[in-house]
Amino acid sequence: MHGNMLRLVLIISAIVLQFSTCSVLIEKIDEERVENQCNLSEDLVNEIRGYKNVVSKITDHILNGKFKGEVHKSLQIFTDKFGSRMAGSDALEKAIDYMEDLLKNEGLENVHTESAKVPHWIRGYESATLVQPRKAKIELLGLGTTVGTPRGGIIGEVVAVRTFDELQKLPDSEVKGKIVVFAPTWQGYGATVRYRSSGASEASKKGAIAALIRSATPFSIASPHTGSQNYAQGVKKIPTACITVEDAEMIWRLYNEGENVQIRLEMEDYNLEPVISRNTVSELQGTTSPNKSVVILSGHLDSWDVGVGAMDDGGGAFISWKAVKFLKDMGLRPKRTIRSVLWTAEEYGYYGAKEYAKQHKENELEEFNFFIESDTGTFDPVGLDFTGNKDAECIFKEVLSLMAPLNATQFATPADGGPDISVWLDRGFPGASLLNKNERYFWFHHTDGDTMLVEDPDSLDRCVALFASTAYIIADLSVDIPKDVKN
């Protein structure tokens, strides 16, 4: 009994530690709790609760009717046809052409694309080999926008550290001319990914000739995870790549055991001039003022050049436009327009969303009512997380309480799974992103493992039903969702 109790305490402590690294407030929403916390008018509360039958209709049609399994089937056709879709590639642009034609054929309204300038980076031949104290192949994936090595590669002695603080404490003379290997412990994606984003710059400041970073994942089967990185202004650009958790840990151990660790690195990656890509737009136009108080449903269409981008973010993109299609097919046309936007070049830093914001800046207060995005997987949905002022939160919680038929009434704040819509949410627009059982998301994230095998048809159906129900209610309410927008 004592041993079991000890294990239970350790498990609970680990869970508390995991969630203590973020400031997200999570709660399950029900009607009574919303009523106790908020001061919404009785008329508005009754109006929102009057949509219960609509939610039931949407849920039944998607989970049990003719729409069942349609999202998975369409996503499978798409990913099989185009595979990975990296920004700047012909594959992405052909996929956008395909989606524009498909959305028109599906009968959606105002289908068009809007241009955005995006980075164009090419992954060339990449190879890494441990040459001292023994010879072994090191699996790696160059990070987006990395420069390559000189022709023929480089060989460098290794300095291995866990943290940026450890690196800063080393004299520059101990780092200059060497390859820095970062082996941070997993502390959640937000805390760990900064080594991927900034590792090359921090190593370069100390005189390193390259930087190799432990993949940002809690679980590994010797698969490297790619992703974006950013060179700080004024630093020398050095080659940088992610390596597997297993190799990073092995190199760190060898280094700390006093071994002379050397790696041969060859990378033929390079950057070209930016090119023009496109955001893909379709709508279910509202019955009144189609271009005012629009509700946005979104996901990004680009992916990395490994896997096929089924999970990141094909699923998110497809539940967004399918929600619009299903509502149209069910004859559910709200007062306000529901607009699906399939963003481009999210992986490099929200290039499509940022350009869309610039193009719509002049009338944004009048045009946009609410934003929704999915970009942390489309596993079983449990609710939605939210960013907005207190009045908006009260209305949103009342809407979310209606999602009981989907077992998706969980509320969290702030919104954490909508990187593209953060362009608006960070300035005071209200919005939400999908909460789902995505404990395995970072197992496959930015790897060759991001394939259709990760996607489940029933989970996708529940996700699209949640998006369709939420978007319809918000778009049909007698009031706009309140906002406090900063320029």
Side-chain angles (χ1 to χ4, degrees):
M1 179 64 71
H2 179 73
N4 289 337
M5 287 297 296
L6 178 58
R7 283 192 290 272
L8 179 59
V9 169
L10 291 174
I11 290 170
I12 293 173
S13 299
I15 293 172
V16 170
L17 178 61
Q18 178 180 352
F19 283 96
S20 68
T21 61
C22 63
S23 58
V24 176
L25 171 67
I26 300 176
E27 59 180 297
K28 190 173 183 179
I29 299 300
D30 56 49
E31 293 174 358
E32 183 178 357
R33 175 172 291 187
V34 175
E35 192 169 0
N36 290 337
Q37 292 180 344
C38 293
N39 294 312
L40 299 178
S41 71
E42 184 177 353
D43 287 344
L44 181 55
V45 170
N46 289 335
E47 178 189 352
I48 295 171
R49 293 181 182 179
Y51 285 97
K52 278 186 177 180
N53 290 339
V54 176
V55 173
S56 295
K57 176 182 177 179
I58 293 170
T59 299
D60 186 59
H61 274 70
I62 294 176
L63 270 57
N64 305 309
K66 65 178 182 178
F67 303 134
K68 182 177 176 61
E70 189 175 313
V71 180
H72 188 273
K73 181 179 179 181
S74 296
L75 179 60
Q76 180 175 281
I77 291 170
F78 175 77
T79 55
D80 285 348
K81 184 176 182 68
F82 295 104
S84 62
R85 305 167 302 280
M86 192 158 65
S89 70
D90 288 340
L92 176 59
E93 297 312 305
K94 289 177 180 178
I96 293 170
D97 290 339
Y98 169 88
M99 287 305 306
E100 186 177 12
D101 290 341
L102 177 62
L103 296 172
K104 289 177 180 178
N105 291 336
E106 294 283 2
L108 296 182
E109 297 153 2
N110 193 25
V111 177
H112 65 281
T113 62
E114 300 186 24
S115 296
K117 185 179 289 188
V118 305
H120 190 193
W121 173 75
I122 302 295
R123 185 189 304 281
Y125 172 78
E126 297 175 337
S127 174
T129 304
L130 180 70
V131 294
Q132 286 289 343
R134 61 183 174 88
K135 188 172 183 180
K137 182 180 179 181
I138 297 173
E139 298 290 346
L140 82 165
L141 283 171
L143 296 174
T145 71
T146 183
V147 298
T149 61
R151 183 179 296 274
I154 57 176
I155 295 178
E157 188 176 336
V158 165
V159 172
V161 296
R162 290 284 191 203
T163 67
F164 287 140
D165 286 343
E166 286 183 25
L167 178 66
Q168 294 306 318
K169 290 176 182 178
L170 294 174
D172 290 0
S173 59
E174 288 190 25
V175 181
K176 187 175 182 180
K178 297 179 181 178
I179 296 173
V180 173
V181 172
F182 290 97
T185 55
W186 174 259
Q187 295 178 324
Y189 187 69
T192 309
V193 75
R194 62 195 183 102
Y195 291 93
R196 188 191 77 195
S197 302
S198 304
S201 294
E202 295 304 313
S204 180
K205 291 174 185 177
K206 303 285 284 186
I209 57 174
L212 300 177
I213 292 93
R214 173 204 191 274
S215 290
T217 179
F219 175 78
S220 180
I221 51 171
S223 296
H225 297 232
T226 191
S228 62
Q229 66 88 34
N230 300 292
Y231 292 115
Q233 189 172 6
V235 305
K236 180 181 179 180
K237 297 179 180 180
I238 60 174
T240 183
C242 270
I243 59 177
T244 69
V245 174
E246 293 85 348
D247 283 341
E249 290 295 319
M250 176 266 292
I251 292 167
W252 184 85
R253 290 194 303 269
L254 287 172
Y255 176 79
N256 281 276
E257 288 163 3
E259 296 283 355
N260 177 17
V261 184
Q262 296 183 24
I263 291 175
R264 182 183 183 278
L265 179 66
E266 185 173 5
M267 298 171 61
E268 296 180 348
D269 306 327
Y270 58 97
N271 292 277
L272 297 174
E273 290 298 313
V275 298
I276 299 299
S277 185
R278 296 158 290 164
N279 296 308
T280 309
V281 181
S282 61
E283 292 180 344
L284 173 60
Q285 294 185 337
T287 57
T288 61
S289 303
N291 294 320
K292 295 181 179 180
S293 297
V294 173
V295 175
I296 301 288
L297 287 175
S298 66
H300 67 86
L301 208 58
D302 65 301
S303 73
W304 284 104
D305 56 335
V306 290
V308 299
M311 182 190 73
D312 184 18
D313 183 35
F318 270 62
I319 66 170
S320 297
W321 77 262
K322 284 288 189 180
V324 179
K325 176 187 182 299
F326 292 162
L327 289 172
K328 181 176 186 297
D329 289 352
M330 283 185 277
L332 292 171
R333 187 179 292 273
K335 297 180 181 71
R336 299 171 189 79
T337 293
I338 301 176
R339 179 182 300 163
S340 165
V341 184
L342 311 182
W343 310 110
T344 192
E346 182 276 338
E347 296 293 1
Y348 282 120
Y350 329 152
Y351 279 81
K354 289 175 181 176
E355 183 59 33
Y356 190 85
K358 289 180 183 178
Q359 293 169 358
H360 293 254
K361 176 72 173 176
E362 184 176 353
N363 298 312
E364 64 176 2
L365 290 176
E366 183 179 69
E367 181 175 4
F368 300 127
N369 180 25
F370 199 82
F371 294 85
I372 305 177
E373 183 175 5
S374 170
D375 191 19
T376 54
T378 42
F379 300 90
D380 276 337
V382 296
L384 294 162
D385 54 14
F386 170 84
T387 291
N389 64 31
K390 186 62 181 178
D391 291 336
E393 180 179 315
C394 286
I395 295 173
F396 181 75
K397 283 182 173 180
E398 194 69 57
V399 173
L400 190 57
S401 72
L402 300 181
M403 303 303 151
L406 292 163
N407 293 317
T409 60
Q410 191 173 115
F411 171 90
T413 187
D416 190 43
D420 287 293
I421 64 174
S422 68
V423 174
W424 291 272
L425 271 53
D426 288 348
R427 294 191 294 113
F429 282 92
S433 59
L434 180 67
L435 280 172
N436 63 114
K437 297 179 181 179
N438 63 351
E439 295 86 358
R440 295 180 296 139
Y441 178 73
F442 290 111
W443 295 15
F444 308 102
H445 184 246
H446 296 180
T447 74
D448 282 318
D450 184 356
T451 71
M452 283 303 299
L453 292 180
V454 181
E455 296 294 333
D456 174 69
D458 293 337
S459 295
L460 283 167
D461 287 346
R462 287 189 283 273
C463 288
V464 74
L466 176 61
F467 265 36
S469 298
T470 304
Y472 179 81
I473 296 170
I474 292 174
D476 198 56
L477 284 175
S478 61
V479 298
D480 286 348
I481 305 299
K483 51 182 173 275
D484 297 319
V485 176
K486 303 171 184 176
N487 290 326

